[in-house]
Amino acid sequence: MAHIGRALELGGAGDRAAARAALTEIWEQVRGTGDALHRCTIAHHLADLQESVADEVAWDHRALAAVADLDDERVQQHDASLRVRALLPSLHLNLADGYRRAGDVGRARHHVTVAAPLAAELPDDGYGTMIREAIARVGALLDAGSREPLAAP
């Protein structure tokens, strides 16, 4: 996770290409049989660093696939407050938004429909509110037929 954190710092400093390269290198080491938490985290962040929506959606799918191999015990080794179920709303939100921007309304709506009840279970804190509001925004953008990027609140 420390290596992943250092790669994310590159992206936070504005060097998306370096962050993408560093995370891709780590991915090559863990793909397939590596730790599911590492695979989920890397794929989740690599999705945000892609140049195309299609590549972003592919990485979002990898993150969702990796979470299926996780359990609460493993995620709590990283952070005692984490639960696998709490990761799902964000992963489905990302897929919903990617499909929306790609023009695949049916798949986008499916992931919004899955994300919304899962997000309702999130705590009433900053993170939970952010995810619920983003799901609502993606739903509204779908209703409006918009393929524009999701703007920050």
Side-chain angles (χ1 to χ4, degrees):
M1 292 303 277
H3 293 293
I4 296 168
R6 285 193 289 278
L8 295 177
E9 288 174 7
L10 294 169
D15 196 344
R16 291 172 49 88
R20 187 171 49 246
L23 286 172
T24 300
E25 182 178 323
I26 300 167
W27 176 261
E28 291 302 322
Q29 297 169 16
V30 302
R31 69 189 282 172
T33 60
D35 183 280
L37 179 60
H38 297 157
R39 287 184 286 125
C40 181
T41 304
I42 293 165
H44 176 69
H45 290 288
L46 267 171
D48 294 338
L49 296 168
Q50 298 307 304
E51 297 297 322
S52 77
V53 174
D55 289 340
E56 181 180 336
V57 167
W59 282 107
D60 283 331
H61 271 289
R62 288 180 185 108
L64 186 61
V67 86
D69 295 333
L70 278 174
D71 58 32
D72 287 342
E73 182 180 340
R74 173 58 188 109
V75 296
Q76 289 168 7
Q77 289 171 358
H78 175 67
D79 181 330
S81 69
L82 279 179
R83 303 290 180 275
V84 172
R85 194 156 174 84
L87 304 175
L88 294 173
S90 175
L91 297 173
H92 283 285
L93 165 63
N94 291 346
L95 280 164
D97 190 51
Y99 279 128
R100 177 191 63 79
R101 289 181 289 121
D104 191 334
V105 173
R107 286 187 177 151
R109 286 200 190 282
H110 166 76
H111 286 284
V112 165
T113 300
V114 172
L118 292 169
E121 296 177 25
L122 291 173
D124 225 3
D125 60 8
Y127 176 77
T129 299
M130 175 186 71
I131 296 298
R132 285 187 288 274
E133 288 176 356
I135 292 167
R137 284 196 317 276
V138 168
L141 289 168
L142 272 167
D143 292 343
S146 174
R147 292 177 64 177
E148 295 301 312
L150 183 62

